[in-house]
Amino acid sequence: MTDTALTTGLDDAQLHDVEAAVHAIADRARTASRRIARATRARKDEALRAIAAALLEHEPRILAANAQDVERGRGNGTSKAMLDRLSLTPARIQGLADALENLASQPDPVGTVVRGQTLPNGLRLRQVNVPMGVVAAIYEARPNVTVDIAGLALKAGNAVILRGGSAAASTNEALVEVLRDALDSVGLPADAIQTIDAYGREGANVLMRARGRVDVLIPRGGRELIQTVVQNSAVPVIETGEGNVHIYIDESASEDMAVEILLNAKTQRPSVCNTVETLLAHSHSTVLPAVARALRDAGVRLHVDGRVAALLPPGEDVSAATDEDWGTEYMDLDLAVAMVDTLDEALEHIRTWSTGHTEAILTNDLRNAERFIAEIDSAAVIVNASTRFTDGGEFGLGAEVGISTQKLHARGPMGLGELTTTKWIVQGEGQTRA
């Protein structure tokens, strides 16, 4: 999706029909959201478990639909990284079901008291978490997001409208049908989960303009999609961000730890946003040759500056890094590597090129670790561990809507709490303001 995608080629009558259809979906979602907001924790948890069971029961149907999307993507020249994001397997479906079961075991955020007090005049104040209402999500080639967002929205008492994009159209159609049937089976409104995929790009445009019908919009995908939504939406947006993630190897870091963490952070699943994309190594560190060798043996293509190239063994197959490499979220088995002389230089490089997602330091120097934590302004800062841990499931949130890189109420992995807002409840006994 790009800015030019806002023009879809439909005539006025067709545009009117799409607008009416999307508005009708949003209005049904608003009605459903009122029932979901009143649902007890027991009923919402029952629905989550019903969805988990339905995913496993209908696994063959879901995988068949997904195979159609993957085959179509392969024929259209979709990148390997995007095909990985698009693909579902029995293990990934089991993972989605497990995440829903985990969500069911999480405390209900709705009704939680954030703070409260009794004023000198006797008024009793409470600020409590309440559902957002109607949550919309626009994303691409990520059928797992269909389940994650629907589950989180449900547990947090919201209705959700999904726009999953053409790349995963068959998979998302099958998933939404399964999810809606599961809601209906436990007596909750199926319209709490709806999709506008049938209305294409113009449907997404209408959704972005549906202020008053939709309470919050969450884009999840690449830079182009996210910026299109941020720049064109009239609906309030919680912005998720791309992951140009850095790891800095301090001069005190051990070789074994550096090798193990870099392999995990780069090769475990290179197509996701918490994968490391740039490695910075202190010039006094001795671990870089071993790290580079391990990464190259794992199939990683290194894009290196001149000082790193001079340090590596002769004949090492590497590419010369450019500014484009420092700013690239590869989402593949590529890694930019630079040498720095000081922690200050590492911090400056990260400030220049980071997208504010996740940065990590490998060090045995407590002062350097504390300074890195204090001075890095990203949603997640990690010391001596893989960047792959920046994830709602790994953080114990059950699942996530995405990783927010903004600085409003949601930052980092967005779980249940981030899909609620608050309201003030004031209880008195006849007080009037002087």
Side-chain angles (χ1 to χ4, degrees):
M1 180 184 292
T2 65
D3 290 348
T4 57
L6 297 175
T7 302
T8 59
L10 301 181
D11 60 34
D12 289 345
Q14 291 170 318
L15 291 174
H16 181 271
D17 289 345
V18 170
E19 183 176 65
V22 173
H23 284 175
I25 287 172
D27 291 343
R28 292 197 299 272
R30 176 69 64 195
T31 300
S33 74
R34 298 189 184 104
R35 286 185 58 191
I36 298 296
R38 298 193 304 271
T40 63
R41 174 183 174 175
R43 178 58 60 85
K44 291 186 290 186
D45 291 348
E46 181 185 8
L48 290 170
R49 293 190 171 100
I51 293 172
L55 289 175
L56 299 178
E57 178 185 351
H58 294 283
E59 178 184 295
R61 171 188 171 192
I62 295 167
L63 290 177
N66 185 245
Q68 296 175 16
D69 289 331
V70 171
E71 185 59 32
R72 185 170 57 251
R74 190 174 287 114
N76 291 337
T78 301
S79 69
K80 182 179 177 181
M82 291 302 290
L83 286 176
D84 177 67
R85 290 189 172 194
L86 176 61
S87 298
L88 291 178
T89 64
R92 289 183 179 180
I93 292 176
Q94 182 65 59
L96 291 172
D98 291 343
L100 290 166
E101 292 282 356
N102 185 276
L103 267 181
S105 70
Q106 298 280 331
D108 191 339
V110 178
T112 300
V113 177
V114 178
R115 54 182 165 170
Q117 62 176 314
T118 300
L119 299 181
N121 62 6
L123 287 177
R124 299 184 302 280
L125 270 64
R126 286 176 294 147
Q127 186 185 24
V128 300
N129 286 336
V130 295
M132 288 278 190
V134 177
V135 175
I138 297 178
Y139 51 103
E140 54 188 1
R142 290 169 167 85
N144 63 296
V145 172
T146 299
V147 179
D148 287 343
I149 292 183
L152 285 162
L154 172 63
K155 178 81 176 200
N158 304 293
V160 66
I161 302 172
L162 304 167
R163 159 62 174 162
S166 59
S170 298
T171 312
N172 286 333
E173 180 180 6
L175 286 171
V176 169
E177 288 179 4
V178 170
L179 270 55
R180 286 171 57 86
D181 288 346
L183 283 183
D184 187 63
S185 73
V186 299
L188 289 176
D191 283 340
I193 301 174
Q194 297 183 82
T195 176
I196 62 161
D197 279 352
Y199 303 102
R201 288 177 174 173
E202 183 53 38
N205 296 336
V206 173
L207 191 66
M208 287 189 279
R209 297 192 297 265
R211 190 180 184 93
R213 286 183 160 92
V214 175
D215 294 296
V216 65
L217 178 57
I218 302 169
R220 183 168 174 182
R223 178 195 292 267
E224 191 175 14
L225 180 147
I226 292 168
Q227 290 307 309
T228 296
V229 173
V230 169
Q231 293 167 15
N232 293 284
S233 180
V235 175
V237 174
I238 298 178
E239 182 177 353
T240 61
E242 63 181 320
N244 190 13
V245 172
H246 298 76
I247 292 179
Y248 167 56
I249 300 178
D250 185 51
E251 61 182 309
S252 64
S254 70
E255 181 176 302
D256 289 346
M257 181 175 68
V259 169
E260 187 171 355
I261 287 176
L262 263 297
L263 283 174
N264 180 261
K266 182 71 254 185
T267 69
Q268 188 191 49
R269 195 175 176 196
S271 66
V272 294
C273 63
N274 55 22
T275 294
V276 64
E277 304 290 15
T278 297
L279 169 62
L280 304 174
H282 194 284
S283 57
H284 292 170
S285 170
T286 61
V287 309
L288 187 54
V291 170
R293 183 169 58 252
L295 289 167
R296 292 288 297 133
D297 289 346
V300 177
R301 296 171 290 273
L302 303 180
H303 306 253
V304 304
D305 69 7
R307 296 177 70 189
V308 173
L311 182 67
L312 298 179
E316 187 78 23
D317 183 17
V318 296
S319 302
T322 66
D323 280 356
E324 183 177 357
D325 290 293
W326 309 133
T328 296
E329 182 186 21
Y330 295 110
M331 295 191 297
D332 208 341
L333 287 174
D334 291 86
L335 182 69
V337 188
M339 185 176 292
V340 295
D341 291 320
T342 63
L343 175 56
D344 285 308
E345 192 176 337
L347 292 170
E348 184 58 33
H349 184 107
I350 293 170
R351 291 188 193 106
T352 301
W353 300 105
S354 172
T355 55
H357 189 292
T358 300
E359 325 299 345
I361 182 173
L362 310 185
T363 184
N364 286 311
D365 187 318
L366 180 59
R367 287 177 300 179
N368 284 351
E370 290 178 342
R371 188 176 168 209
F372 192 86
I373 291 169
E375 296 193 26
I376 289 295
D377 187 20
S378 291
V381 181
I382 295 176
V383 178
N384 294 336
S386 172
T387 58
R388 290 281 289 119
F389 284 108
T390 305
D391 174 85
E394 294 292 332
F395 280 13
L397 305 181
E400 68 179 30
V401 179
I403 309 292
S404 171
T405 55
Q406 64 180 22
K407 298 185 181 182
L408 300 181
H409 91 290
R411 196 180 191 196
M414 293 186 291
L416 292 170
E418 287 69 34
L419 288 184
T420 62
T421 184
T422 65
K423 68 177 172 185
W424 287 93
I425 299 172
V426 183
Q427 293 178 295
E429 297 172 338
Q431 290 94 331
T432 59
R433 180 171 175 174

